Amino acid sequence: MFIRREVDRLKLVILLAFILIYGIFVYINTYSKNSRIELALNEQIKTLKIHYSLTKDYFITDAIVSSGCLLNNDEAITLFSKVNNSSKKQKDILRKELYEILLPMYKRIKMKGVLQFHFVLPNNKSFLRMHKPNKYGDDLSNIRYSFNYVNKTRKVIEGFEQGRTTHAFRYVFPYYDKKGDYLGAIEISLASYALQQKLLKINKIHSHFLVNKNIFLVKAWEEKDLIQKYIQSIENDDYMYALTKDSNQKILDKNAKNLILPLKEKIVYKMSLNKPFALFVNSKEIAKVITFLPIKDTEENTAAYLVSYTNNDNIYNISKSYKYLNIIIFIGLVIILYFIYKNINYRRELSNEVHHKNNDLINLNNNIENKIITAVEKNNDIQENLYKSQKMVAMSEMIMNISHQWRQPLSVISTAATGIELQKKHGNLTDDLLIYFSHTINNNAQYLGKILDSFNDIIKDNRVKKKFNLNDDIDDFLKIVEAPIRMEQINLVLDLQENITINGYPIELIECLHNIFNNSKDILRDKTNDEDKLIFISSSKVDNNLFIKIKDNGGGVPQDIIGNIFEPYFTTKHRSQGTGLGLHVAYKLIIDNMEGSLSVKNVEYKYNDKEYIGAEFTISIPIG
């Protein structure tokens, strides 16, 4: 009876050991899978954002060039300046003459996806729609915010907006005569289906637009006058689906059944947050990913979503590997623990002596401990892989920053090239104008090369200890973060001591500064555009040590977690926004690689007669 009880106890111990070890492996495997999938989904969002921004910038460049042509068209200005003081009959004549003058230009720009030129009087009444010249005289005050804004402020406005007959990306600017008298507003619009076609043709991204019903005002004309047709969205009952010539009902029905319906509750909830997101469903040999990018209208409300469908074999392989690994671990543990059980039980049967039985129990506990140690070692390997993943995320952000810094010079080059073409067609291309455009293209091309050189050392990641000037290193860092500083409207304040030379690793110091900057940037992102967004960077040399301080006005770190922020995986963000490794990586770079120290504290300070509270990170590095 005593032996029987000992055998049952051994089985129980083996079962508990199995549950514990397998639970650890499953937890680690699940965490690794979810983190890798989140990184993959975030890459889908970033890719859609980049391609959408680049495609939209092409339209803005074309619109600016077209607006320049209109603002310098003396014949059009002369005609339009006569409208406000003319009778109805005279207006009809002027409208026809203006239409005939601009028709060749409208046909050319229409080939690039431009939907319309629209001339509106200062009282917000439509004077001429180039795409529908017979529709005029209607009051747009309660329909088009952009015309109200331009006629009131005399400033340019651009953005997504719903009109009487369709939604579009609009560029609206004030129009003056040669004396400087205000004549009204002119709109240049890009149809959303033109943007979708460019995404599909150039970037191979299939997309469609969902328009919010709250701003859906296609009711002014008869249905036959509508430029774009709409049907009920299958993703969200509060949105309409914008049909295009590439719309395929069979594809829509297939996506509805296999992708949308299984995810619809999540989609509706995520869309209510007005933030970009991506979801997926595993299919045969591939993962189907659907990405949603919110589109703000001219009043900064979420008016629509750009939705893309893509295949992702990486996510499918991650999910597949996760299942197989769990099965392999389960079978392996069963076999191992079975032989452990048989071995211990066999030894127990060889001798009835209590001493031998106690020794067998000790051996069993040692075996369980070894398995746990093995699991911990594997966990450390997974931590290292996640660390490498964080490095890849940082590299991806740097590459995206390069694309943002290249966007403006590329737009200028495109504008100059288009300007040469237009001036040539109109016979206005003088030698001085050609030299000016040529210099503009050359200067911006040289600037692109300088940006690429600045990132070259970081991409190579050569870990070589050398002497370098701190301010040169900080200049390279500022080139990396120039784009996010501009996009997030951050005011960067520098207080740098001159001629500080360090013997160390400049690339790793840049990486540390980048990770700390990202932490402050993410905190400041929650502030509105009306609030100050400040980041201070200062440097000083005391004795034989360098001190770099980075301070923001994000409100500081809560006292109950400030002692944990350098620990791995510790993050206050949503799991889709961070891995909790950024500050830990910065800490390791300074402590282990540069033999320095990194600390943080909350500070209260004044700047420009205003009081602020924020977190202050202090880096201390030996100079020798």
PDB file of all heavy atoms in Angstrom, residues 518-543:
ATOM      1  N   ASN A 518      12.522  58.467 -29.842  1.00  0.00           N
ATOM      2  CA  ASN A 518      11.254  57.807 -30.190  1.00  0.00           C
ATOM      3  C   ASN A 518      10.327  57.724 -28.990  1.00  0.00           C
ATOM      4  O   ASN A 518       9.111  57.858 -29.114  1.00  0.00           O
ATOM      5  CB  ASN A 518      11.529  56.401 -30.740  1.00  0.00           C
ATOM      6  CG  ASN A 518      11.954  56.438 -32.192  1.00  0.00           C
ATOM      7  OD1 ASN A 518      11.756  57.435 -32.869  1.00  0.00           O
ATOM      8  ND2 ASN A 518      12.553  55.361 -32.672  1.00  0.00           N
ATOM      9  N   ASN A 519      10.905  57.482 -27.788  1.00  0.00           N
ATOM     10  CA  ASN A 519      10.072  57.403 -26.585  1.00  0.00           C
ATOM     11  C   ASN A 519       9.389  58.747 -26.327  1.00  0.00           C
ATOM     12  O   ASN A 519       8.185  58.811 -26.068  1.00  0.00           O
ATOM     13  CB  ASN A 519      10.948  57.001 -25.396  1.00  0.00           C
ATOM     14  CG  ASN A 519      10.144  56.809 -24.119  1.00  0.00           C
ATOM     15  OD1 ASN A 519       9.448  55.817 -23.952  1.00  0.00           O
ATOM     16  ND2 ASN A 519      10.213  57.770 -23.225  1.00  0.00           N
ATOM     17  N   SER A 520      10.153  59.852 -26.420  1.00  0.00           N
ATOM     18  CA  SER A 520       9.572  61.182 -26.211  1.00  0.00           C
ATOM     19  C   SER A 520       8.580  61.525 -27.305  1.00  0.00           C
ATOM     20  O   SER A 520       7.510  62.087 -27.051  1.00  0.00           O
ATOM     21  CB  SER A 520      10.681  62.231 -26.154  1.00  0.00           C
ATOM     22  OG  SER A 520      11.513  62.038 -25.036  1.00  0.00           O
ATOM     23  N   LYS A 521       8.913  61.167 -28.562  1.00  0.00           N
ATOM     24  CA  LYS A 521       8.018  61.455 -29.687  1.00  0.00           C
ATOM     25  C   LYS A 521       6.665  60.769 -29.502  1.00  0.00           C
ATOM     26  O   LYS A 521       5.612  61.363 -29.749  1.00  0.00           O
ATOM     27  CB  LYS A 521       8.657  60.983 -30.992  1.00  0.00           C
ATOM     28  CG  LYS A 521       7.785  61.175 -32.229  1.00  0.00           C
ATOM     29  CD  LYS A 521       8.323  60.384 -33.402  1.00  0.00           C
ATOM     30  CE  LYS A 521       8.149  58.888 -33.168  1.00  0.00           C
ATOM     31  NZ  LYS A 521       8.584  58.070 -34.317  1.00  0.00           N
ATOM     32  N   ASP A 522       6.684  59.498 -29.058  1.00  0.00           N
ATOM     33  CA  ASP A 522       5.437  58.762 -28.865  1.00  0.00           C
ATOM     34  C   ASP A 522       4.597  59.378 -27.755  1.00  0.00           C
ATOM     35  O   ASP A 522       3.363  59.396 -27.840  1.00  0.00           O
ATOM     36  CB  ASP A 522       5.728  57.292 -28.532  1.00  0.00           C
ATOM     37  CG  ASP A 522       6.329  56.545 -29.712  1.00  0.00           C
ATOM     38  OD1 ASP A 522       6.182  57.019 -30.849  1.00  0.00           O
ATOM     39  OD2 ASP A 522       6.952  55.499 -29.484  1.00  0.00           O
ATOM     40  N   ILE A 523       5.233  59.892 -26.694  1.00  0.00           N
ATOM     41  CA  ILE A 523       4.496  60.558 -25.610  1.00  0.00           C
ATOM     42  C   ILE A 523       3.867  61.853 -26.128  1.00  0.00           C
ATOM     43  O   ILE A 523       2.698  62.155 -25.876  1.00  0.00           O
ATOM     44  CB  ILE A 523       5.426  60.841 -24.421  1.00  0.00           C
ATOM     45  CG1 ILE A 523       5.924  59.527 -23.807  1.00  0.00           C
ATOM     46  CG2 ILE A 523       4.693  61.672 -23.360  1.00  0.00           C
ATOM     47  CD1 ILE A 523       4.840  58.639 -23.241  1.00  0.00           C
ATOM     48  N   LEU A 524       4.642  62.635 -26.894  1.00  0.00           N
ATOM     49  CA  LEU A 524       4.149  63.928 -27.385  1.00  0.00           C
ATOM     50  C   LEU A 524       3.083  63.776 -28.456  1.00  0.00           C
ATOM     51  O   LEU A 524       2.331  64.703 -28.734  1.00  0.00           O
ATOM     52  CB  LEU A 524       5.316  64.746 -27.950  1.00  0.00           C
ATOM     53  CG  LEU A 524       6.392  65.153 -26.944  1.00  0.00           C
ATOM     54  CD1 LEU A 524       7.512  65.888 -27.647  1.00  0.00           C
ATOM     55  CD2 LEU A 524       5.810  66.019 -25.825  1.00  0.00           C
ATOM     56  N   ARG A 525       3.009  62.598 -29.093  1.00  0.00           N
ATOM     57  CA  ARG A 525       2.016  62.378 -30.152  1.00  0.00           C
ATOM     58  C   ARG A 525       0.591  62.530 -29.626  1.00  0.00           C
ATOM     59  O   ARG A 525      -0.327  62.864 -30.373  1.00  0.00           O
ATOM     60  CB  ARG A 525       2.220  60.998 -30.767  1.00  0.00           C
ATOM     61  CG  ARG A 525       1.270  60.686 -31.922  1.00  0.00           C
ATOM     62  CD  ARG A 525       1.613  59.346 -32.553  1.00  0.00           C
ATOM     63  NE  ARG A 525       2.862  59.429 -33.274  1.00  0.00           N
ATOM     64  CZ  ARG A 525       3.694  58.393 -33.431  1.00  0.00           C
ATOM     65  NH1 ARG A 525       3.394  57.226 -32.904  1.00  0.00           N
ATOM     66  NH2 ARG A 525       4.812  58.524 -34.122  1.00  0.00           N
ATOM     67  N   ASP A 526       0.385  62.254 -28.319  1.00  0.00           N
ATOM     68  CA  ASP A 526      -0.957  62.340 -27.743  1.00  0.00           C
ATOM     69  C   ASP A 526      -1.416  63.784 -27.564  1.00  0.00           C
ATOM     70  O   ASP A 526      -2.583  64.042 -27.306  1.00  0.00           O
ATOM     71  CB  ASP A 526      -1.005  61.623 -26.389  1.00  0.00           C
ATOM     72  CG  ASP A 526      -0.810  60.118 -26.531  1.00  0.00           C
ATOM     73  OD1 ASP A 526      -1.161  59.588 -27.606  1.00  0.00           O
ATOM     74  OD2 ASP A 526      -0.315  59.488 -25.586  1.00  0.00           O
ATOM     75  N   LYS A 527      -0.484  64.746 -27.670  1.00  0.00           N
ATOM     76  CA  LYS A 527      -0.866  66.147 -27.543  1.00  0.00           C
ATOM     77  C   LYS A 527      -1.534  66.630 -28.828  1.00  0.00           C
ATOM     78  O   LYS A 527      -1.245  66.133 -29.911  1.00  0.00           O
ATOM     79  CB  LYS A 527       0.365  67.023 -27.253  1.00  0.00           C
ATOM     80  CG  LYS A 527       0.971  66.828 -25.871  1.00  0.00           C
ATOM     81  CD  LYS A 527       2.196  67.717 -25.705  1.00  0.00           C
ATOM     82  CE  LYS A 527       2.708  67.678 -24.271  1.00  0.00           C
ATOM     83  NZ  LYS A 527       1.807  68.367 -23.348  1.00  0.00           N
ATOM     84  N   THR A 528      -2.410  67.599 -28.719  1.00  0.00           N
ATOM     85  CA  THR A 528      -3.045  68.168 -29.902  1.00  0.00           C
ATOM     86  C   THR A 528      -2.079  69.136 -30.572  1.00  0.00           C
ATOM     87  O   THR A 528      -1.054  69.536 -29.999  1.00  0.00           O
ATOM     88  CB  THR A 528      -4.335  68.919 -29.519  1.00  0.00           C
ATOM     89  OG1 THR A 528      -3.997  70.053 -28.687  1.00  0.00           O
ATOM     90  CG2 THR A 528      -5.280  68.000 -28.754  1.00  0.00           C
ATOM     91  N   ASN A 529      -2.411  69.529 -31.821  1.00  0.00           N
ATOM     92  CA  ASN A 529      -1.542  70.433 -32.571  1.00  0.00           C
ATOM     93  C   ASN A 529      -1.484  71.821 -31.937  1.00  0.00           C
ATOM     94  O   ASN A 529      -0.567  72.596 -32.218  1.00  0.00           O
ATOM     95  CB  ASN A 529      -2.020  70.534 -34.020  1.00  0.00           C
ATOM     96  CG  ASN A 529      -1.811  69.236 -34.774  1.00  0.00           C
ATOM     97  OD1 ASN A 529      -0.934  68.446 -34.416  1.00  0.00           O
ATOM     98  ND2 ASN A 529      -2.609  69.007 -35.806  1.00  0.00           N
ATOM     99  N   ASP A 530      -2.482  72.150 -31.088  1.00  0.00           N
ATOM    100  CA  ASP A 530      -2.492  73.460 -30.434  1.00  0.00           C
ATOM    101  C   ASP A 530      -1.560  73.499 -29.229  1.00  0.00           C
ATOM    102  O   ASP A 530      -1.237  74.570 -28.719  1.00  0.00           O
ATOM    103  CB  ASP A 530      -3.919  73.818 -29.994  1.00  0.00           C
ATOM    104  CG  ASP A 530      -4.848  73.988 -31.199  1.00  0.00           C
ATOM    105  OD1 ASP A 530      -4.361  74.377 -32.264  1.00  0.00           O
ATOM    106  OD2 ASP A 530      -6.046  73.739 -31.025  1.00  0.00           O
ATOM    107  N   GLU A 531      -1.155  72.348 -28.720  1.00  0.00           N
ATOM    108  CA  GLU A 531      -0.291  72.288 -27.542  1.00  0.00           C
ATOM    109  C   GLU A 531       1.175  72.307 -27.955  1.00  0.00           C
ATOM    110  O   GLU A 531       1.532  71.849 -29.047  1.00  0.00           O
ATOM    111  CB  GLU A 531      -0.576  71.031 -26.733  1.00  0.00           C
ATOM    112  CG  GLU A 531      -1.976  70.972 -26.150  1.00  0.00           C
ATOM    113  CD  GLU A 531      -2.199  69.685 -25.363  1.00  0.00           C
ATOM    114  OE1 GLU A 531      -2.455  68.661 -25.997  1.00  0.00           O
ATOM    115  OE2 GLU A 531      -2.082  69.725 -24.133  1.00  0.00           O
ATOM    116  N   ASP A 532       2.030  72.846 -27.055  1.00  0.00           N
ATOM    117  CA  ASP A 532       3.470  72.836 -27.320  1.00  0.00           C
ATOM    118  C   ASP A 532       4.005  71.415 -27.269  1.00  0.00           C
ATOM    119  O   ASP A 532       3.641  70.628 -26.400  1.00  0.00           O
ATOM    120  CB  ASP A 532       4.196  73.693 -26.272  1.00  0.00           C
ATOM    121  CG  ASP A 532       3.838  75.156 -26.403  1.00  0.00           C
ATOM    122  OD1 ASP A 532       3.473  75.587 -27.513  1.00  0.00           O
ATOM    123  OD2 ASP A 532       3.927  75.871 -25.397  1.00  0.00           O
ATOM    124  N   LYS A 533       4.879  71.085 -28.223  1.00  0.00           N
ATOM    125  CA  LYS A 533       5.583  69.797 -28.229  1.00  0.00           C
ATOM    126  C   LYS A 533       7.074  70.102 -28.231  1.00  0.00           C
ATOM    127  O   LYS A 533       7.620  70.539 -29.237  1.00  0.00           O
ATOM    128  CB  LYS A 533       5.189  68.962 -29.452  1.00  0.00           C
ATOM    129  CG  LYS A 533       3.710  68.597 -29.516  1.00  0.00           C
ATOM    130  CD  LYS A 533       3.404  67.758 -30.749  1.00  0.00           C
ATOM    131  CE  LYS A 533       1.933  67.391 -30.832  1.00  0.00           C
ATOM    132  NZ  LYS A 533       1.632  66.551 -32.019  1.00  0.00           N
ATOM    133  N   LEU A 534       7.730  69.892 -27.094  1.00  0.00           N
ATOM    134  CA  LEU A 534       9.109  70.325 -26.910  1.00  0.00           C
ATOM    135  C   LEU A 534      10.020  69.146 -26.616  1.00  0.00           C
ATOM    136  O   LEU A 534       9.671  68.250 -25.846  1.00  0.00           O
ATOM    137  CB  LEU A 534       9.200  71.328 -25.756  1.00  0.00           C
ATOM    138  CG  LEU A 534       8.310  72.593 -25.863  1.00  0.00           C
ATOM    139  CD1 LEU A 534       8.384  73.373 -24.574  1.00  0.00           C
ATOM    140  CD2 LEU A 534       8.752  73.451 -27.031  1.00  0.00           C
ATOM    141  N   ILE A 535      11.199  69.137 -27.226  1.00  0.00           N
ATOM    142  CA  ILE A 535      12.276  68.209 -26.877  1.00  0.00           C
ATOM    143  C   ILE A 535      13.564  69.023 -26.806  1.00  0.00           C
ATOM    144  O   ILE A 535      13.902  69.743 -27.747  1.00  0.00           O
ATOM    145  CB  ILE A 535      12.419  67.067 -27.895  1.00  0.00           C
ATOM    146  CG1 ILE A 535      11.173  66.163 -27.865  1.00  0.00           C
ATOM    147  CG2 ILE A 535      13.655  66.234 -27.604  1.00  0.00           C
ATOM    148  CD1 ILE A 535      11.248  64.992 -28.828  1.00  0.00           C
ATOM    149  N   PHE A 536      14.264  68.959 -25.648  1.00  0.00           N
ATOM    150  CA  PHE A 536      15.506  69.676 -25.426  1.00  0.00           C
ATOM    151  C   PHE A 536      16.669  68.683 -25.448  1.00  0.00           C
ATOM    152  O   PHE A 536      16.587  67.605 -24.850  1.00  0.00           O
ATOM    153  CB  PHE A 536      15.489  70.389 -24.070  1.00  0.00           C
ATOM    154  CG  PHE A 536      14.381  71.404 -23.921  1.00  0.00           C
ATOM    155  CD1 PHE A 536      13.090  70.995 -23.594  1.00  0.00           C
ATOM    156  CD2 PHE A 536      14.618  72.759 -24.105  1.00  0.00           C
ATOM    157  CE1 PHE A 536      12.062  71.918 -23.436  1.00  0.00           C
ATOM    158  CE2 PHE A 536      13.594  73.685 -23.956  1.00  0.00           C
ATOM    159  CZ  PHE A 536      12.319  73.277 -23.624  1.00  0.00           C
ATOM    160  N   ILE A 537      17.749  69.018 -26.139  1.00  0.00           N
ATOM    161  CA  ILE A 537      18.969  68.195 -26.133  1.00  0.00           C
ATOM    162  C   ILE A 537      20.129  69.115 -25.773  1.00  0.00           C
ATOM    163  O   ILE A 537      20.363  70.131 -26.430  1.00  0.00           O
ATOM    164  CB  ILE A 537      19.221  67.535 -27.497  1.00  0.00           C
ATOM    165  CG1 ILE A 537      18.026  66.660 -27.891  1.00  0.00           C
ATOM    166  CG2 ILE A 537      20.497  66.698 -27.447  1.00  0.00           C
ATOM    167  CD1 ILE A 537      18.195  66.008 -29.258  1.00  0.00           C
ATOM    168  N   SER A 538      20.852  68.752 -24.698  1.00  0.00           N
ATOM    169  CA  SER A 538      22.000  69.542 -24.266  1.00  0.00           C
ATOM    170  C   SER A 538      23.193  68.629 -24.054  1.00  0.00           C
ATOM    171  O   SER A 538      23.042  67.419 -23.816  1.00  0.00           O
ATOM    172  CB  SER A 538      21.670  70.303 -22.975  1.00  0.00           C
ATOM    173  OG  SER A 538      21.439  69.401 -21.910  1.00  0.00           O
ATOM    174  N   SER A 539      24.400  69.193 -24.169  1.00  0.00           N
ATOM    175  CA  SER A 539      25.614  68.423 -23.929  1.00  0.00           C
ATOM    176  C   SER A 539      26.599  69.285 -23.149  1.00  0.00           C
ATOM    177  O   SER A 539      26.622  70.514 -23.294  1.00  0.00           O
ATOM    178  CB  SER A 539      26.227  67.970 -25.257  1.00  0.00           C
ATOM    179  OG  SER A 539      26.655  69.080 -26.019  1.00  0.00           O
ATOM    180  N   SER A 540      27.409  68.622 -22.317  1.00  0.00           N
ATOM    181  CA  SER A 540      28.422  69.340 -21.546  1.00  0.00           C
ATOM    182  C   SER A 540      29.523  68.371 -21.157  1.00  0.00           C
ATOM    183  O   SER A 540      29.314  67.155 -21.092  1.00  0.00           O
ATOM    184  CB  SER A 540      27.795  69.972 -20.286  1.00  0.00           C
ATOM    185  OG  SER A 540      27.241  68.976 -19.448  1.00  0.00           O
ATOM    186  N   LYS A 541      30.697  68.915 -20.910  1.00  0.00           N
ATOM    187  CA  LYS A 541      31.846  68.136 -20.489  1.00  0.00           C
ATOM    188  C   LYS A 541      32.222  68.551 -19.076  1.00  0.00           C
ATOM    189  O   LYS A 541      32.469  69.727 -18.806  1.00  0.00           O
ATOM    190  CB  LYS A 541      33.015  68.384 -21.452  1.00  0.00           C
ATOM    191  CG  LYS A 541      34.299  67.680 -21.062  1.00  0.00           C
ATOM    192  CD  LYS A 541      35.420  68.030 -22.044  1.00  0.00           C
ATOM    193  CE  LYS A 541      36.749  67.410 -21.608  1.00  0.00           C
ATOM    194  NZ  LYS A 541      37.855  67.812 -22.501  1.00  0.00           N
ATOM    195  N   VAL A 542      32.247  67.575 -18.165  1.00  0.00           N
ATOM    196  CA  VAL A 542      32.616  67.816 -16.767  1.00  0.00           C
ATOM    197  C   VAL A 542      33.737  66.841 -16.427  1.00  0.00           C
ATOM    198  O   VAL A 542      33.544  65.618 -16.462  1.00  0.00           O
ATOM    199  CB  VAL A 542      31.418  67.622 -15.814  1.00  0.00           C
ATOM    200  CG1 VAL A 542      31.859  67.866 -14.382  1.00  0.00           C
ATOM    201  CG2 VAL A 542      30.277  68.543 -16.200  1.00  0.00           C
ATOM    202  N   ASP A 543      34.931  67.418 -16.092  1.00  0.00           N
ATOM    203  CA  ASP A 543      36.122  66.601 -15.848  1.00  0.00           C
ATOM    204  C   ASP A 543      36.397  65.735 -17.073  1.00  0.00           C
ATOM    205  O   ASP A 543      36.604  66.231 -18.166  1.00  0.00           O
ATOM    206  CB  ASP A 543      35.955  65.767 -14.577  1.00  0.00           C
ATOM    207  CG  ASP A 543      35.824  66.656 -13.333  1.00  0.00           C
ATOM    208  OD1 ASP A 543      36.417  67.764 -13.342  1.00  0.00           O
ATOM    209  OD2 ASP A 543      35.128  66.259 -12.392  1.00  0.00           O
TER     210      ASP A 543
END
